[in-house]
Amino acid sequence: PVITQENLPLCAAMAVTAGLDVEVAWRAITINPAQQIGIADRVGSLEPGKDGDVVIWNADPLKTVGAAAAVTVVNGKVVYRES
């Protein structure tokens, strides 16, 4: 089966609910896939020199049903801010 990108946080949250460590779940949908496809030098973690794409949530989306993006930053620029 294939899990679409949009459903990865939901699947990670379900795994956390079933007992997976939260840090392991975050790595499963961030740095691990970036390493697998050979782009971890650009994305997958927050480090100097990497693309500045990040989402700041209003709650932990792996632990809170209904968590929503509060701020989204792409290439170091805020492109969304919840009102």
Side-chain angles (χ1 to χ4, degrees), residues 1 4 7 9 11-12 17 20-21 23 33 38 42 45 51 55 62 68 76 79:
T4 63
N7 289 320
C11 291
T17 300
L20 184 67
D21 180 77
E23 184 176 335
R42 288 188 34 242
S45 61
D51 293 0
V55 175
L62 300 187
V79 296

Side-chain angles (χ1 to χ4, degrees), residues 46-57:
L46 297 176
E47 297 177 47
K50 288 191 171 186
D51 293 0
D53 301 347
V54 66
V55 175
I56 300 170
W57 298 86

